Amino acid sequence: MMRRNQRHRAFDPDPAAPDRTCDMPGCPERAGYRAPRSRDTLNDYFWFCLEHVRGYNARWDFYKGMTPGQIEAHLRADVSWNRPSWRLGSLGSHHALDEEQVLDPLGLLRGTGDARIKRKRPGAADSRPEALRQPLDTLGLGWPVSLAEVKSRYKDLARRHHPDANGGDRAAEERLKTINVAYTALRAHLDAARHNDLAETG
Ligand SMILES: [Zn+2]
């Protein structure tokens, strides 16, 4: 019988992993690592190899607000994944592979700044205008938010996700489109709100 006195290391494959290959389209590696399909289906997993679970986790912020179907479409569009094209979060640090980060790479357990956990707190209703929820999630913004904050976040994301900054990557182009749509929606809402205020007070 195998001795089980060794601590399960975070980057060891999950013992519960199914016997199949990585969910990343075209990847022949054995799937050993799970990742939730979306913030709304945290018990429903993709199964990836180590490289691809790390890539997926690094993109978690970007997948915010997307449905599992939209995420899968992005996986298929974004098949390279070999050259991380934007902020790799904490996994991009020089701490090689920090076990703690891998154990809770998405910060779901810590819950720090995670919009979903905040929203799920009992009694805390989502006060955000319904039409703005996805745009806010896409840009990673809270609510209420000022036009200045929206502009500043947009500038930052647009710079990071710009195809020119990502070797002309088509997936980056798609991300930038999503970011632009979110920004346009938020700016339109905040502009309109500001004009209403001026009309009321003036
Ligand atoms: Zn893989």
Side-chain angles (χ1 to χ4, degrees), residues 22-24 27-29 48-52:
C22 179
D23 278 338
M24 186 68 189
C27 178
E29 296 295 315
F48 293 117
C49 67
L50 180 58
E51 180 196 340
H52 285 134

Side-chain angles (χ1 to χ4, degrees), residues 153-173:
R153 177 61 57 89
Y154 171 72
K155 261 190 213 166
D156 178 43
L157 288 174
R159 185 167 33 78
R160 281 198 274 134
H161 295 265
H162 197 282
D164 289 351
N166 295 281
D169 183 6
R170 267 188 307 138
E173 208 174 306

